[in-house]
Amino acid sequence: MKSVTVLALPGVLALDVGIPVQVFGSDPHYELTVCADRRPVPVAGGGLTITPDAGLEALDGAGTVIVPGYDDVGAPPSAEVVAALRAAHAGGARMVSICTGAFALAAAGLLDGRPATTHWQRAADLRARHPRVRVLPNRLYVDDGDILTSAGVTAGIDLCLHLIRTDEGAAAANTRARELVAPPRRAGGQAQYIERLRPEASGEELGALREWMLGDLARQLDVDTLAARVHLSRRTFLRRFREETGTSPIAWLTSARLDRARELLETTDIPVEHLGRHTGLGSAATVRAAFHRHLGTSPRDYRALFRHRSDADVTPASG
């Protein structure tokens, strides 16, 4: 029987801690322990506390350590927690985080030089606080061998099922997924479905130009045309655009086009083959390549997922 130890930090997110408890707690292949550095552990949002099974000593010799998300990522974990996480990893434990639990692993230095993900709303914060981490904001989960990280909530289920699949095989993972009424497998490379890909602008000098670009996404544009429209040299335009958006004008435009394509897939019956014409993304092959590169899925699979969600929303419960 494999040991799984869940470390509940103060302000732990209720759903995030519930995921590994639910997934592994009744699985006959695993022995589950919930630990903390203090008792009881307050749950984010108030009204609940967790009484853990053990203290930090439970991390010593654990096979897998899972750190669920917690609310105050600006407050670093205690020195005792950091030391215990480092010791567990040095002792051979597989280290796992769900959502903002990645901040605790990063604070312990375990993510330095490694790829990792977290909830998309916190990805920029993780990168800013821990610049040595290779943050991948558009991934459901990242498996880097002995350290695995996931995005928020349901991505934590995906990662836990991935752990079972790795340990016990696809049949065991599929059985557990059916019991949880969860998809049996979503690949970690599949993107989180963030509200939009287009970066927020921090300046407005070029705001009117960006609005003009959004007004007709099918319009074919290049850097020289955009620079001439705002009466700037190519070099000055590129510098100012990056200062305001954090990216290049063509990358920003591609993200805006992908956002529009996603909207069309979610809300219309426009054939996938026509997306390029409506959004400026180009041929059907170019559209598919852009979806795979930025979202980790195909346009058809993206539409199928959201149609499935929509159908589930309107299907009355039986029984």
Side-chain angles (χ1 to χ4, degrees):
M1 185 177 293
K2 300 174 178 64
S3 67
V4 173
T5 302
V6 178
L7 172 59
L9 297 174
V12 67
L13 303 178
L15 285 175
D16 286 2
V17 73
I19 287 167
V21 171
Q22 181 74 13
V23 172
F24 297 107
S26 58
D27 190 303
H29 302 103
Y30 297 91
E31 180 180 7
L32 178 77
T33 302
V34 178
C35 75
D37 66 338
R38 63 172 179 167
R39 309 176 193 182
V41 181
V43 174
L48 293 173
T49 58
I50 293 174
T51 302
D53 303 315
L56 294 178
E57 71 278 357
L59 298 180
D60 185 20
T64 298
V65 173
I66 300 179
V67 185
Y70 57 103
D71 60 350
D72 189 5
V73 297
S78 68
E80 293 79 10
V81 166
V82 168
L85 288 172
R86 290 173 177 169
H89 181 244
R94 178 173 56 182
M95 309 300 289
V96 179
S97 69
I98 296 174
C99 194
T100 54
F103 283 79
L105 297 186
L110 302 183
L111 298 183
D112 287 356
R114 287 179 176 261
T117 194
T118 186
H119 193 291
W120 65 268
Q121 289 179 317
R122 297 294 193 131
D125 195 10
L126 180 62
R127 183 181 291 113
R129 293 178 184 276
H130 303 283
R132 297 185 64 185
V133 180
R134 291 197 291 121
V135 180
L136 304 177
N138 288 339
R139 295 293 179 266
L140 293 178
Y141 59 85
V142 174
D143 181 345
D144 195 37
D146 58 334
I147 297 183
L148 302 92
T149 55
S150 82
V153 193
T154 56
I157 299 176
D158 296 321
L159 179 51
C160 288
L161 291 174
H162 172 71
L163 294 176
I164 295 176
R165 187 176 301 107
T166 300
D167 293 342
E168 303 295 335
N174 292 344
T175 297
R176 200 73 189 97
R178 285 194 296 272
E179 293 169 349
L180 296 167
V181 197
R185 181 169 189 173
R186 290 197 296 169
Q190 182 174 321
Q192 300 180 45
Y193 292 108
I194 61 178
E195 291 180 353
R196 69 181 186 186
L197 296 171
R198 191 176 78 245
E200 293 283 356
S202 59
E204 287 303 321
E205 180 182 352
L206 299 177
L209 175 68
R210 289 191 294 273
E211 289 299 319
W212 178 78
M213 293 165 70
L214 292 173
D216 184 2
L217 290 171
R219 182 193 293 120
Q220 295 305 304
L221 297 170
D222 56 34
V223 172
D224 290 330
T225 299
L226 295 170
R229 185 172 178 84
V230 291
H231 310 293
L232 294 173
S233 70
R234 178 188 177 94
R235 182 176 180 179
T236 300
F237 170 66
L238 287 171
R239 175 173 55 79
R240 292 186 182 175
F241 198 98
R242 185 172 291 277
E243 287 173 350
E244 292 191 9
T245 66
T247 190
S248 71
I250 300 306
W252 186 90
L253 184 58
T254 298
S255 296
R257 286 169 168 163
L258 280 166
D259 286 338
R260 178 57 177 157
R262 292 162 64 207
E263 180 184 349
L264 291 173
L265 289 171
E266 294 172 28
T267 61
T268 75
D269 293 318
I270 289 175
V272 170
E273 292 74 15
H274 296 173
L275 279 178
R277 186 172 74 244
H278 287 279
T279 62
L281 284 171
S283 68
T286 302
V287 172
R288 287 193 296 271
F291 263 75
H292 279 290
R293 183 168 60 254
H294 293 277
L295 294 165
T297 189
S298 70
R300 293 187 188 280
D301 287 346
Y302 186 94
R303 169 173 274 167
L305 172 67
F306 278 87
R307 288 296 170 86
H308 174 74
R309 287 180 177 177
S310 177
D311 292 344
D313 287 342
V314 300
T315 301
S318 62

